[in-house]
Amino acid sequence: MVFLQLFLMLIVILIAAEVFTNALEHLGEKLGISEGVTGSIFAAVGTALPETSVPLLAIFAGTSNMETNHEIGVGAILGAPLMLATLSLFLMGMSVYKSRTATGHLRPERTGLVRDLNYFIVAFLLAAVALYIPHEKDLFRYMLGFGMVMIYVVYVWQTIRASKGLVAEGHATEAESDMFLCKIGLPNNMVVIVLQLLLGLLLLLAGAKGFINGVESAAEILGISALLLSLLIIPIATELPEKVNSILWIRKGKDTLAFGNITGAMVFQGTLLPAIGIMLTPWVPRKEVLIGIVLTLLAAVWLRIMASRKGGLRVWHLMLNGALYVTYLFIVLS
């Protein structure tokens, strides 16, 4: 029954993310912004909401067991960037392996990709440093958390500022399909777009709440910690929107949207969510946490180096990202 609950709540979360993302595409088109902004900010934040809602609800309104709430929260916060930087990029690359081959080129807009990775690496390094700040040093933790929030604010500002030039170069956002609410007769205007955004958000919160309660029971049945289950299971489940959207986009040749959807989510989840974890949870260097952070940073640095090379990114480069995820599984489960 517990696993059925997890499955049903996952379905609710995925439907909600699709509703939210569909509205975001139309918002981006109406605002006349670039694919970089839509991918790295709008789509990234929209499809990151499942992972985002789980740790937030776990910390603020989870189960009656505060220790379990913190474990679920920390696991979901750090598990999401790990999955994005490793398995998600690997699956996206493998989706075009047949058509482009291992040495085939991947062509995201380079300046946006490098910007995303630079911000993520800096922020996640700060999250790693915070593991060694004693929890009783509240002032230092709150200052660090606030600094990470400001990193994301500056990132959004720089990304939006670059939008005008990208639109002029032909990278304007175009919605892939009709808005869902328009299919039942409502007009395509800002009021209806906002209405669909709110509907998707409410569904996400409801699904995440049910998922949290299911994780606590599943951890007891499987005999593993809620932290480890959250690091492994919640990100796999809740990141399906990113994987599916990026796979669809890259198979259509929209490499900028595909990469931006993932790397933009990495920045969002590598700044705002760790800031909450640093300020409101024990945030200590347990084995599962520390190894996850190190491998996530290795994956991001590897992608950053390859993206900056003269030859650009190739499909086989993302295979190493997948290998790093397998490495994590081997270490924490052995």
Side-chain angles (χ1 to χ4, degrees):
M1 190 65 185
V2 171
F3 296 101
L4 177 61
Q5 176 186 341
L6 287 173
F7 177 75
L8 291 176
M9 290 302 101
L10 171 60
I11 297 299
V12 172
I13 287 172
L14 295 179
I15 291 173
E18 183 64 26
V19 170
F20 195 93
T21 305
N22 172 256
L24 281 175
E25 286 188 1
H26 284 269
L27 179 63
E29 186 175 68
K30 279 201 176 296
L31 294 177
I33 56 179
S34 69
E35 287 183 333
V37 172
T38 302
S40 293
I41 298 179
F42 285 4
V45 172
T47 54
L49 281 178
E51 303 97 300
T52 304
S53 57
V54 170
L56 289 179
L57 283 176
I59 293 171
F60 291 112
T63 70
S64 58
N65 187 326
M66 188 56 67
E67 182 180 352
T68 298
N69 292 345
H70 284 160
E71 288 193 351
I72 294 174
V74 172
I77 287 171
L78 296 178
L82 170 66
M83 290 288 300
L84 289 166
T86 57
L87 186 59
S88 293
L89 285 169
F90 169 76
L91 292 175
M92 183 182 71
M94 290 304 98
S95 70
V96 292
Y97 179 84
K98 185 176 180 180
S99 59
R100 303 194 194 185
T101 73
T103 57
H105 288 280
L106 300 169
R107 297 183 176 86
E109 195 277 311
R110 183 177 295 185
T111 59
L113 176 61
V114 170
R115 179 176 59 246
D116 286 3
L117 293 171
N118 285 345
Y119 273 95
F120 173 76
I121 291 168
V122 170
F124 223 58
L125 280 171
L126 290 177
V129 170
L131 292 171
Y132 296 95
I133 298 177
H135 199 260
E136 59 271 15
K137 304 262 186 199
D138 290 338
L139 178 60
F140 291 104
R141 282 182 171 248
Y142 277 94
M143 287 176 59
L144 187 56
F146 178 75
M148 293 179 72
V149 172
M150 292 309 299
I151 286 175
Y152 189 72
V153 171
V154 174
Y155 160 76
V156 170
W157 174 73
Q158 284 202 342
T159 303
I160 292 176
R161 191 178 67 167
S163 175
K164 186 176 180 180
L166 292 173
V167 170
E169 294 173 7
H171 295 288
T173 301
E174 296 180 1
E176 289 290 318
S177 59
D178 293 338
M179 198 160 60
F180 295 146
L181 290 184
C182 294
K183 294 180 180 180
I184 62 174
L186 294 178
N188 189 337
N189 56 36
M190 289 299 293
V191 173
V192 176
I193 290 174
V194 171
L195 179 62
Q196 185 169 313
L197 288 172
L198 292 175
L199 176 62
L201 180 59
L202 291 174
L203 285 173
L204 277 170
L205 294 174
K209 177 65 175 176
F211 204 87
I212 291 166
N213 293 330
V215 167
E216 181 185 30
S217 301
E220 293 177 0
I221 293 172
L222 296 174
I224 62 176
S225 70
L227 173 62
L228 183 56
L229 187 64
S230 299
L231 279 164
L232 298 179
I233 303 301
I234 291 179
I236 290 177
T238 56
E239 280 172 17
L240 285 175
E242 277 108 332
K243 296 184 186 74
V244 173
N245 286 343
S246 291
I247 286 171
L248 291 175
W249 274 326
I250 203 165
R251 288 174 69 89
K252 293 177 182 178
K254 296 184 176 183
D255 292 17
T256 298
L257 280 172
F259 273 90
N261 188 37
I262 292 177
T263 58
M266 286 169 60
V267 180
F268 179 78
Q269 296 183 46
T271 54
L272 301 185
L273 293 187
I276 293 171
I278 291 166
M279 292 186 285
L280 299 178
T281 73
W283 204 258
V284 292
R286 290 176 55 170
K287 172 187 172 183
E288 305 96 321
V289 169
L290 191 57
I291 294 172
I293 287 180
V294 170
L295 292 179
T296 301
L297 284 170
L298 283 175
V301 170
W302 163 254
L303 187 66
R304 169 68 174 80
I305 292 171
M306 292 300 103
S308 300
R309 291 171 65 249
K310 186 176 181 180
L313 279 171
R314 297 179 185 269
V315 172
W316 74 266
H317 293 156
L318 302 187
M319 294 181 184
L320 180 64
N321 295 74
L324 288 172
Y325 182 71
V326 174
T327 301
Y328 181 74
L329 292 180
F330 176 78
I331 294 174
V332 300
L333 296 177
S334 60

